[in-house]
Amino acid sequence: MSKDPADIQHEERIVWTEDIDGFDYVRETLTTEAGTRARPVPWHGAGRRVGYSTLKRDAPSNDSAGRFTRRIFWVKEHDRSERPDGVYKTATPSEGVDPRTVAPGVWGEVTERAWGGPLSGPSETPMSATREEAKGRVRQPDRPGPPRSAAASSKETSTVELGVTKAFADWLYLHEVSVPETLGAAIGEEFKRWLWANNEELIAAIANAVAQQTTLPEQPPSTKEQ
């Protein structure tokens, strides 16, 4: 989600419907379909709403008359607040932010509390569990040093697979659609993000592997006499 300051510049306050002390992180989503400036914003997605923003009385509507842009804060049933030892025991979903960093007109940020451990660096904010893992494994230019062991390579592969699994599971929880629709859209969403985070060599390897899995088998030779 793009975090444009202009999208939330008309906010007046943040309303928490649950005590934020119970959340290391919450999910932050922008809706452009709110029907009012200040009344509670309904949430029809997975999980439950735990907060929302209200707008100033003179906040303009969107291009659609009577529709306003507002933030919704929510959690899913497999988030850390619901399952401390679950899939997000460490790391956060892509929408995750520390609710203590949220303020009117201020986008939430990922902190060590939200992340469940030290951040990657003093000036680097993790993007999400999957993209951060992928980003950290982009092949760097060759440098003199000892050769990489097969065990290390296997460990990295397992970590990458775990990251993809987390992202795909998270996507499935949010998008309640049929299996064909889910698989098709998930491939488009997650593979696009995944390929974006890796270098050309890895992109080519993944594309080749996908092609091998999706190519239709050759038809057996015809037995009809010519």
Side-chain angles (χ1 to χ4, degrees):
M1 178 178 65
S2 175
K3 293 192 173 184
D4 187 345
D7 289 336
I8 58 175
Q9 64 180 323
H10 299 292
E11 288 182 344
E12 183 172 52
R13 66 190 183 107
I14 303 297
V15 177
W16 297 108
T17 56
E18 296 188 28
D19 187 352
I20 62 173
D21 286 342
F23 302 99
D24 290 343
Y25 69 82
V26 296
R27 296 172 185 255
E28 179 182 55
T29 297
L30 197 70
T31 177
T32 59
E33 296 298 321
T36 68
R37 296 181 176 89
R39 293 176 184 170
V41 182
W43 175 246
H44 303 296
R48 72 180 189 277
R49 186 198 66 198
V50 298
Y52 55 88
S53 66
T54 66
L55 306 180
K56 300 173 183 176
R57 296 182 64 180
D58 60 350
S61 63
N62 300 328
D63 293 338
S64 298
R67 297 296 175 181
F68 302 90
T69 299
R70 295 170 63 184
R71 279 188 290 176
I72 303 175
F73 304 93
W74 54 289
V75 294
K76 288 184 179 179
E77 57 271 22
H78 62 285
D79 279 331
R80 194 185 309 154
S81 56
E82 318 304 301
R83 298 183 184 177
D85 294 322
V87 66
Y88 288 116
K89 181 177 181 179
T90 58
T92 69
S94 58
E95 313 99 333
V97 298
D98 188 333
R100 297 153 196 82
T101 66
V102 175
V106 178
W107 288 102
E109 298 179 358
V110 176
T111 63
E112 289 192 349
R113 178 168 183 167
W115 192 249
L119 300 182
S120 302
S123 61
E124 183 177 358
T125 300
M127 293 174 287
S128 69
T130 304
R131 292 181 66 183
E132 184 59 31
E133 288 170 357
K135 180 181 176 184
R137 285 160 182 78
V138 175
R139 182 182 176 187
Q140 301 298 320
D142 293 336
R143 298 176 182 175
R148 293 163 57 87
S149 67
S153 177
S154 176
K155 183 177 180 181
E156 287 192 357
T157 299
S158 297
T159 304
V160 170
E161 289 176 350
L162 177 61
V164 173
T165 300
K166 286 181 179 179
F168 189 45
D170 199 48
W171 197 96
L172 290 176
Y173 269 98
L174 182 61
H175 297 76
E176 299 177 357
V177 294
S178 68
V179 171
E181 290 173 334
T182 298
L183 292 176
I187 290 173
E189 289 286 333
E190 298 305 331
F191 263 62
K192 178 172 64 178
R193 297 176 184 174
W194 178 249
L195 295 178
W196 175 87
N198 291 272
N199 64 8
E200 294 182 358
E201 181 177 346
L202 185 53
I203 291 174
I206 293 176
N208 183 57
V210 172
Q212 292 178 1
Q213 294 297 322
T214 58
T215 300
L216 293 176
E218 294 183 1
Q219 295 294 325
S222 176
T223 58
K224 295 180 64 177
E225 295 183 2
Q226 301 296 324

